[in-house]
Amino acid sequence: MRLLLAEDDRDIALYTASKLEGEGYAVDHAATGPEVWDLGETGDYAAIILDLGLPGMDGLSILKRWRAAGVNTPVIVLTARGSWMERVDGFEAGADDYLPKPFRPEELLARLKALLRRAGGNAAPVRSAGRFLVDDGAKRVSFDGRVLDLSPQEFRLISLFVSHKGKVLTPIEIANHVQGRDDDQAKNAVEAMVARLRRKTDASAIETRRGFGYVMPEEGA
Ligand code: CA
């Protein structure tokens, strides 16, 4: 079972990772916000252990982005001891459990096992919209039954559309979710990415609503 450990404190990360590996888990460790965000959204993890204070992008923002993009991997949030605000914010952002720092690895393991039991080893669902089928577990998208060759960002973009089928998404919203920023450069990149996806699929797969943004139609044209 593969876990993502998001922790920028090197000592805590090394110690925790070795304990988890000792219990038979495979552990990917990431220490910066953007890296954590990317791995959590494109990787296939049984669970994620997420420190809230990460450099580059804070844990809460990352968690909100994952949930908005349809990532339903169970997440344990690491919070400062006694900070009930962090706990509330964490649950509201979509955390499944929390653990105050400093923590004993034994407690993390116990909570992790309980969380994985609750998740019941559920395979990630396959979602569909229009002519797209998104397999979140395999990180694979097919269009009219044909598997597409996609970059992680393109996967993220389609996943976002499928989670919001029939809804117009503004370039700013898309840039925020796909690029992690919404400046002009990111918005231009979104335009280019949509054009690329249309070439890989069909010109009508993603529609432009001039002046508003883009929409993935619910039913294929
Ligand atoms: Ca930290």
Side-chain angles (χ1 to χ4, degrees):
M1 233 176 233
R2 184 164 289 276
L3 305 173
L4 175 60
L5 175 63
E7 171 61 76
D8 60 320
D9 183 309
R10 198 164 170 274
D11 291 343
I12 296 177
L14 287 178
Y15 183 61
T16 307
S18 78
K19 288 283 180 185
L20 292 169
E21 281 162 357
E23 290 286 315
Y25 297 102
V27 181
D28 286 352
H29 170 232
T32 70
E35 193 190 355
V36 166
W37 172 50
D38 193 51
L39 282 175
E41 192 155 314
T42 55
D44 186 13
Y45 296 106
I48 298 171
I49 299 150
L50 178 66
D51 180 33
L52 290 187
L54 292 170
M57 193 189 292
D58 71 277
L60 272 184
S61 305
I62 296 171
L63 182 53
K64 283 179 192 160
R65 281 185 178 151
W66 284 338
R67 294 314 190 216
V71 175
N72 53 10
T73 313
V75 172
I76 299 180
V77 154
L78 304 177
T79 67
R81 179 167 294 283
S83 172
W84 61 270
M85 269 309 290
E86 280 193 1
R87 242 146 55 203
V88 172
D89 288 347
F91 282 123
E92 280 183 351
D96 299 275
D97 200 357
Y98 74 92
L99 192 59
K101 287 168 101 172
F103 57 87
R104 298 190 56 81
E106 290 75 15
E107 187 174 7
L108 175 62
L109 278 166
R111 281 169 184 264
L112 192 62
K113 281 178 188 159
L115 190 61
L116 292 171
R117 254 199 321 274
R118 284 207 299 280
N122 283 345
V126 174
R127 299 175 291 134
S128 71
R131 297 147 79 185
F132 289 93
L133 210 61
V134 177
D135 183 335
D136 289 299
K139 303 294 168 202
R140 201 164 46 208
V141 175
S142 55
F143 180 78
D144 285 348
R146 172 173 58 91
V147 174
L148 301 177
D149 182 19
L150 299 174
S151 71
Q153 286 203 343
E154 289 167 347
F155 175 84
R156 203 176 274 160
L157 177 61
I158 291 183
S159 181
L160 180 70
F161 273 121
V162 169
S163 299
H164 299 87
K165 51 188 165 190
K167 180 178 181 280
V168 176
L169 299 171
T170 66
I172 291 178
E173 283 174 310
I174 297 172
N176 231 320
H177 283 289
V178 176
Q179 310 268 94
R181 58 207 178 90
D182 58 10
D183 50 50
D184 282 344
Q185 210 186 339
K187 283 190 279 181
N188 291 339
V190 165
E191 208 179 303
M193 212 183 305
V194 168
R196 216 158 47 233
L197 282 179
R198 284 175 175 152
R199 281 199 297 277
K200 288 184 178 183
T201 57
D202 187 300
S204 65
I206 297 168
E207 294 175 359
T208 301
R209 293 291 152 80
R210 205 166 293 283
F212 295 100
Y214 303 98
V215 60
M216 181 178 283
E218 290 216 45
E219 298 303 325

